[in-house]
Amino acid sequence: MKVLAILYEGGKAAQEEPRLLGTVENKLGLKEYLEKAGHELIVSASKEGADSDFQKHLPDAEILITTPFHPGYLTADLFEKAKNLKLCVTAGVGSDHIDLDAAVKHDVQVRPMSIGVLEVSGSNVVSVAEHVIMTILLLVRNFVPAHEMIERGDWQVSDIARAAFDLEGKVVGTIGCGRIGYRVLQRLAPFDCKELLYYDYAPLPAEAASKINARCVQDLKEFVSQCDVVTVNCPLHKDTKGLVDAELLKHFKKGAWLINTARGAICDKDAVAAALKSGQLSGYGGDVWNVQPAPKDHVLRTAKNPLGAGNAMVPHYSGTTLDAQKRYADGVKSIIDNYMSGKQQEAQNIIVGGKIGYATKAYGQRK
Ligand code: NAI
């Protein structure tokens, strides 16, 4: 059996730090395990174009492992070429880089054997929730320009304090209140925010909502108009692509902060940059980009508010802390183990599979 893994290049860091498991060098810790069982493991970061290792090895791979941190885009066209593919495993959470509708089509209609798309649900949700809390604080307290001022050798407190606020008393809302969104709100509870809101077609169980005192707002425009801080925590699918666009941004409170650690394409990058420039947004932060790696001249690398601040963007790493890598590497191994031994997969990890099509409601309502 051929297993193909498209992971990110870890370079010197991965040679020095074996806990960087999700890298080409450290292979999710799968090399010995698979080779001992007589399987072939191909690991590469080369993922774009017909000459990439991804496209070269895809036709005879039985298992494909990809990661949101360096997404190998499995398009509908590539599904046609992946004649031997049975199992797609996302090392992490978020399988939007796989054309899930195409997976469903191949699963149900085309192949005698089903193709499953699975991810390691929950593996890095705490890692992301912590990053969201950090980014909210960085933006609301105007931290980044304050630190840059110190490195420059300057000292002008008023230039920073004029745009620094407390989180206490603010209204914070999450678009998507699943594993990450809920954990973000949970972690905000001790900050004594004025209110915690969420927008999601799947309502929280009453007990979970009352535990953190969260209120659901069902209309998105109304929701954003009530928030000082909006954090995006829903998957990318056809209804969330470009969800935060120029039109929705008009409904934000003037000077709100927007944090996106979900997927870059959920927020229209040019609309966000324009909203920052005009001061409609005071800040934008997160770690996800509409294309990864983000090109050097990507507008969100340098977009700023009228005070020359308000940018807390970083490369996609919130869900790939060393703790998270251990959890998703273990999870990938266990999914492959189940596949090889014919054991039932954990229901929470199945996105598409087993001739049932979509096994989760998180990637759109599909009424
Ligand atoms: P989850 O499946 O537990 O929760 C997703 C929630 O979003 C669900 O409650 C669902 O109903 C809701 N949702 C879906 N479509 C929506 C829409 N149109 N409007 C409002 N809500 C909607 O997923 P989890 O674990 O919370 O992860 C969410 C996303 O975060 C992932 O799909 C992934 O894209 C991203 N993520 C990012 C990471 C990073 O390193 N930056 C790491 C892990 C996940």
Side-chain angles (χ1 to χ4, degrees):
M1 174 174 83
K2 187 186 238 182
V3 180
L4 171 61
I6 302 299
L7 301 174
Y8 62 86
E9 206 83 71
K12 187 167 172 272
Q15 283 153 20
E16 291 173 1
E17 177 51 83
R19 290 175 298 175
L20 276 167
L21 283 165
T23 57
V24 170
E25 291 76 3
N26 297 324
K27 303 176 175 44
L28 290 163
L30 290 173
K31 185 175 158 57
E32 208 187 323
Y33 161 74
L34 284 172
E35 290 181 354
K36 244 192 192 159
H39 304 300
E40 183 186 7
L41 174 66
I42 307 282
V43 186
S44 176
S46 150
K47 67 183 180 85
E48 303 296 340
D51 292 333
S52 63
D53 288 341
F54 180 32
Q55 294 203 23
K56 258 191 329 217
H57 291 285
L58 189 61
D60 55 349
E62 185 167 332
I63 298 182
L64 172 68
I65 302 167
T66 51
T67 175
F69 305 103
H70 181 71
Y73 296 100
L74 189 56
T75 58
D77 282 359
L78 289 179
F79 262 104
E80 299 302 329
K81 296 185 183 154
K83 298 287 181 210
N84 201 35
L85 188 61
K86 302 284 180 346
L87 179 66
C88 301
V89 190
T90 298
V93 172
S95 300
D96 51 277
H97 56 286
I98 292 174
D99 186 324
L100 295 174
D101 287 340
V104 169
K105 178 179 153 218
H106 282 261
D107 183 24
V108 180
Q109 295 165 13
V110 179
R111 290 173 202 259
M113 295 278 289
S114 57
I115 300 185
V117 179
L118 283 89
E119 57 188 46
V120 191
S121 297
S123 57
N124 51 14
V125 295
V126 165
S127 322
V128 179
E130 289 185 0
H131 194 99
V132 174
I133 301 295
M134 174 184 77
T135 309
I136 292 174
L137 286 168
L138 288 176
L139 288 175
V140 171
R141 304 199 59 91
N142 207 18
F143 177 88
V144 177
H147 179 70
E148 287 168 349
M149 174 184 283
I150 287 302
E151 286 205 3
R152 271 198 319 273
D154 294 341
W155 185 285
Q156 187 60 48
V157 173
S158 55
D159 281 356
I160 303 300
R162 66 183 291 183
F165 297 85
D166 297 339
L167 183 54
E168 182 179 275
K170 303 294 181 292
V171 177
V172 184
T174 174
I175 299 179
C177 199
R179 296 176 183 89
I180 297 174
Y182 187 77
R183 280 165 178 77
V184 168
L185 298 188
Q186 257 184 334
R187 280 157 180 74
L188 285 170
F191 283 92
D192 291 330
C193 293
K194 186 171 177 193
E195 242 198 321
L196 300 178
L197 306 181
Y198 74 97
Y199 169 81
D200 195 320
Y201 53 70
L204 286 173
E207 199 190 329
S210 79
K211 241 185 199 164
I212 56 169
N213 206 10
R215 179 167 65 88
C216 180
V217 180
Q218 278 167 0
D219 180 84
L220 184 56
K221 286 180 180 159
E222 219 176 89
F223 165 84
V224 296
S225 74
Q226 295 178 26
C227 294
D228 297 294
V229 179
V230 174
T231 152
V232 184
N233 298 294
C234 59
L236 174 63
H237 54 77
K238 65 178 184 340
D239 302 332
T240 58
K241 192 168 181 190
L243 187 69
V244 182
D245 60 4
E247 172 56 26
L248 187 68
L249 282 161
K250 284 190 210 153
H251 295 267
F252 275 55
K253 267 193 192 172
K254 174 123 183 104
W257 295 272
L258 173 61
I259 290 90
N260 180 11
T261 50
R263 283 298 176 260
I266 297 171
C267 299
D268 176 325
K269 66 176 175 37
D270 297 311
V272 167
L276 258 180
K277 194 170 173 200
S278 72
Q280 174 64 5
L281 285 180
S282 290
Y284 182 74
D287 67 331
V288 287
W289 305 76
N290 62 323
V291 184
Q292 295 188 181
K296 278 210 159 71
D297 61 351
H298 195 289
V299 65
L300 292 179
R301 283 183 185 261
T302 50
K304 298 270 163 60
N305 65 23
L307 296 176
N311 187 320
M313 288 302 286
V314 293
H316 190 175
Y317 84 101
S318 70
T320 187
T321 58
L322 294 182
D323 299 300
Q325 295 200 35
K326 165 89 175 96
R327 289 189 294 264
Y328 66 68
D330 286 350
V332 168
K333 185 160 174 273
S334 138
I335 288 170
I336 294 177
D337 230 16
N338 291 340
Y339 173 77
M340 293 198 309
S341 60
K343 254 195 265 157
Q344 189 65 37
Q345 297 287 356
E346 278 178 55
Q348 61 155 5
N349 290 341
I350 307 175
I351 305 302
V352 167
K355 305 215 181 292
I356 52 173
Y358 281 93
T360 167
K361 292 192 170 70
Y363 285 83
Q365 288 180 290
R366 281 178 303 281
K367 281 181 189 138

